[in-house]
Amino acid sequence: MYWLVKQDKRKYAWGLSVVTVIAIVAIYVSQKASKNAIENYKQHQIDAREAEKELQ
């Protein structure tokens, strides 16, 4: 990324634009993955409780 920004002769406009877009996409993907992980964890807890009840 640094190389891309340094290659831009127009005051880093394209480089900064690309870095900004990549950062926004990365934040979105991170939030989506975190949400899915939390949902999976909650479902795992529910499944574990149900399995525990069946064993008793």
Side-chain angles (χ1 to χ4, degrees), residues 2-47:
Y2 178 75
W3 177 84
L4 180 64
V5 171
K6 291 299 282 182
Q7 297 302 313
D8 190 6
K9 302 297 182 195
R10 287 181 278 158
K11 299 183 182 178
Y12 309 120
W14 280 107
L16 290 176
S17 299
V18 169
V19 170
T20 301
V21 168
I22 290 172
I24 290 170
V25 170
I27 291 169
Y28 173 77
V29 169
S30 175
Q31 292 295 322
K32 187 83 167 167
S34 295
K35 182 179 176 184
N36 287 342
I38 290 169
E39 289 175 5
N40 289 341
Y41 179 72
K42 287 179 181 178
Q43 186 61 44
H44 175 70
Q45 286 181 325
I46 292 169
D47 294 343

